[in-house]
Amino acid sequence: EAGVTQFPSHSVIEKGQTVTLRCDPISGHDNLYWYRRVMGKEIKFLLHFVKESKQDESGMPNNRFLAERTGGTYSTLKVQPAELEDSGVYFCASSRSLSTDTQYFGPGTRLTVL
Amino acid sequence: AQSVTQPDIHITVSEGASLELRCNYSYGATPYLFWYVQSPGQGLQLLLKYFSGDTLVQGIKGFEAEFKRSQSSFNLRKPSVHWSDAAEYFCAVVLISGTYKYIFGTGTRLKVLA
């Protein structure tokens, strides 16, 4: 069974540009989470999808961030326009059911905004 | 508010020595606790989890953790560290709510000396 995959692994962009991160969850996992780790800080929750519906966006920093999950499969997280403070590692995780099921994490996308 | 504290940012141990990584949590109800490990270039891998029952939990790679409600702790231990254990370790609690999102600690980076 393939794990959670994320693309790209690294992205370096300039302030003001747009970047789109992609996450492919484990097949059959309805729940998809995005987290972010800013350097030196804890990993923080951004948002949660159940299939294609956003269940909780409480962690999204501001309206420069837009997440989608078309068809309930893969998800994208777009940052537009990117700011310096958006730099960090963005993790995606998925789980089968909405419970205390283990969340399986991808390797993350390291975003650097110059 | 719920929180997880990992007091040690960096720990260095010699190969073959014992290891204990500390984790303290603040949570109003019965916590569901996890330890994850992230090796370089990899995603977060689940080491072990505690939901209920026996307070001493066995995990993969020879790790164990003990839940102590009186101390609000969930420390990770290994009797003999291997060089391949060098990685970053994260403690997390899951919020038993609509989204089951994780609250992470800041992580402990483990260095193993040969």
Side-chain angles (χ1 to χ4, degrees):
Chain A
E1 179 180 73
V4 177
T5 58
Q6 293 186 244
F7 182 82
S9 57
H10 293 85
S11 180
V12 180
I13 61 173
E14 294 193 349
K15 176 182 172 180
Q17 290 185 322
T18 297
V19 63
T20 300
L21 313 181
R22 173 170 170 146
C23 168
D24 287 79
I26 293 172
S27 178
H29 282 196
D30 288 341
N31 295 280
L32 187 149
Y33 300 80
W34 283 98
Y35 294 85
R36 178 176 74 170
R37 188 185 192 199
V38 173
M39 185 177 294
K41 304 285 189 179
E42 69 272 29
I43 301 169
K44 282 193 171 180
F45 168 82
L46 295 179
L47 86 158
H48 169 226
F49 285 98
V50 176
K51 297 184 179 179
E52 67 275 9
S53 300
K54 293 177 187 174
Q55 294 296 296
D56 184 350
E57 295 183 84
S58 61
M60 294 288 262
N62 50 60
N63 59 9
R64 295 184 295 103
F65 289 74
L66 175 65
E68 294 181 326
R69 191 182 183 193
T70 307
T73 55
Y74 70 91
S75 174
T76 58
L77 179 64
K78 180 189 287 187
V79 185
Q80 179 182 29
E83 298 288 345
L84 300 179
E85 64 265 24
D86 301 332
S87 296
V89 180
Y90 290 77
F91 292 100
C92 176
S94 70
S95 67
R96 184 174 299 278
S97 64
L98 191 64
S99 68
T100 50
D101 260 3
T102 299
Q103 292 181 22
Y104 295 88
F105 283 78
T109 293
R110 181 175 295 278
L111 174 64
T112 302
V113 182
L114 303 176
Chain B
Q2 300 87 355
S3 66
V4 175
T5 302
Q6 294 180 248
D8 304 304
I9 298 174
H10 296 277
I11 282 186
T12 300
V13 299
S14 297
E15 191 171 19
S18 63
L19 173 70
E20 182 170 35
L21 303 183
R22 295 182 291 165
C23 173
N24 292 93
Y25 66 89
S26 172
Y27 190 66
T30 301
Y32 293 86
L33 296 156
F34 301 80
W35 275 100
Y36 281 83
V37 60
Q38 187 181 23
S39 300
Q42 306 294 315
L44 278 73
Q45 180 184 20
L46 179 70
L47 284 175
L48 47 79
K49 59 187 177 184
Y50 171 78
F51 288 167
S52 64
D54 193 346
T55 56
L56 186 61
V57 182
Q58 301 298 319
I60 63 171
K61 304 184 179 186
F63 284 91
E64 66 178 24
E66 186 170 13
F67 171 62
K68 292 185 178 180
R69 184 185 300 275
S70 62
Q71 298 178 20
S72 298
S73 69
F74 188 57
N75 293 349
L76 182 71
R77 301 192 296 246
K78 187 170 184 178
S80 177
V81 171
H82 188 263
W83 64 265
S84 61
D85 293 325
E88 192 159 18
Y89 292 78
F90 296 92
C91 181
V93 64
V94 62
L95 298 189
I96 309 302
S97 64
T99 61
Y100 291 84
K101 59 190 175 190
Y102 285 6
I103 305 296
F104 283 92
T106 50
T108 297
R109 188 171 293 278
L110 174 66
K111 181 177 179 180
V112 180
L113 301 177

